[in-house]
Amino acid sequence: MSVGIVLVSHSAKLAEGLAELAAQMAPDVTIVAAGGLAQGGIGTDYDEVVAATQRADSGAGVVLLYDLGSAQMTADLAVESLADPSAAVVVDAPLVEGAIAAAVAAQGGADRQAVAGAAAAAGAPADLTFDSGAQDGESSVELTLRNDVGLHARPAAVLVRSIAGLDAQVTVRLGEETADANSVLALMALGARQGDRIEVRAKGAQAEEALTKVKDLVDQNFGE
């Protein structure tokens, strides 16, 4: 059971396409598109958003994202109309980046508050830091990316999911920049491509397990 996601858009095609993209990175999460008017035009449909929110809720709650101003109003009204309005929340986040971040967080088992937080944080600059070298207590492994697309969207999402729930702080270094391995957007921002050599560092009780999981993913080309 995971947090469900509803994508409220003025365009049915936009919502459906984004739902399809997000589902590639979070195959076990219920992601429902609620775009366009009932007659097929551009706009948002209150009844459809209510129904989408109800379908998305498996018991862990729902996070709604929207594209433009009136879509937010429709989403807010839909949540207020629920038998339990506290089961769903509307998040102010960039629609595409927010949907991806929320989907990956939900796939990793995050609760509704954490999923909403992941979506909201997607609007901030990518969390990259200048690499100042390994810290005390960190273990590390160097790996060469051999899959076709490097650490782009799907592989980054797979990596994040693989270490979710482990008691380990994991980072990925490329050149002079380091990304938090719990953030799919930060990993994508590294721009790591096929042939690049990355260093994965981890510390914590399950650091070695985390490094092994990432190494296995790279060795298996992320399942591509």
Side-chain angles (χ1 to χ4, degrees):
M1 183 170 62
S2 59
V3 174
I5 297 170
V6 173
L7 306 175
V8 183
S9 170
H10 284 69
S11 165
K13 291 182 179 178
L14 193 160
E16 291 166 0
L18 180 55
E20 181 182 15
L21 175 65
Q24 290 288 313
M25 305 177 199
D28 299 322
V29 177
T30 301
I31 304 170
V32 183
L37 298 174
Q39 298 79 13
I42 296 296
T44 55
D45 185 284
Y46 165 78
D47 290 334
E48 181 182 356
V49 176
V50 171
T53 304
Q54 293 170 336
R55 291 200 304 275
D57 191 2
S58 62
V62 180
V63 170
L64 294 86
L65 295 101
Y66 60 92
D67 57 0
L68 300 172
S70 60
Q72 179 185 16
M73 182 177 66
T74 304
D76 284 336
L77 289 172
V79 170
E80 291 172 5
S81 74
L82 298 175
D84 178 13
S86 67
V89 62
V90 180
V91 178
D92 183 11
L95 183 61
V96 176
E97 292 87 348
I100 299 303
V104 174
Q107 179 73 36
D111 61 18
R112 195 198 63 184
Q113 182 177 2
V115 172
D127 187 19
L128 296 181
T129 57
F130 178 78
D131 186 69
S132 57
Q135 305 298 308
D136 290 343
E138 283 188 329
S139 299
S140 67
V141 60
E142 291 195 9
L143 304 166
T144 299
L145 298 173
R146 303 192 184 283
N147 61 314
D148 289 341
V149 297
L151 272 183
H152 283 214
R154 198 194 67 81
V158 171
L159 193 156
V160 171
R161 295 203 310 258
S162 75
I163 61 172
L166 292 180
D167 183 8
Q169 298 174 30
V170 185
T171 60
V172 176
R173 180 183 69 83
L174 176 67
E176 296 183 342
E177 291 185 317
T178 300
D180 181 350
N182 290 298
S183 169
V184 63
L185 298 177
L187 291 175
M188 292 169 63
L190 281 175
R193 302 179 179 180
Q194 184 182 47
D196 283 343
R197 192 162 181 81
I198 61 173
E199 181 183 13
V200 184
R201 297 172 182 161
K203 63 180 179 180
Q206 293 181 288
E208 294 302 326
E209 183 176 348
L211 292 178
T212 298
K213 284 181 175 291
V214 177
K215 182 178 183 304
D216 288 346
L217 285 176
V218 172
D219 289 344
Q220 297 164 15
N221 292 330
F222 298 89
E224 295 177 358

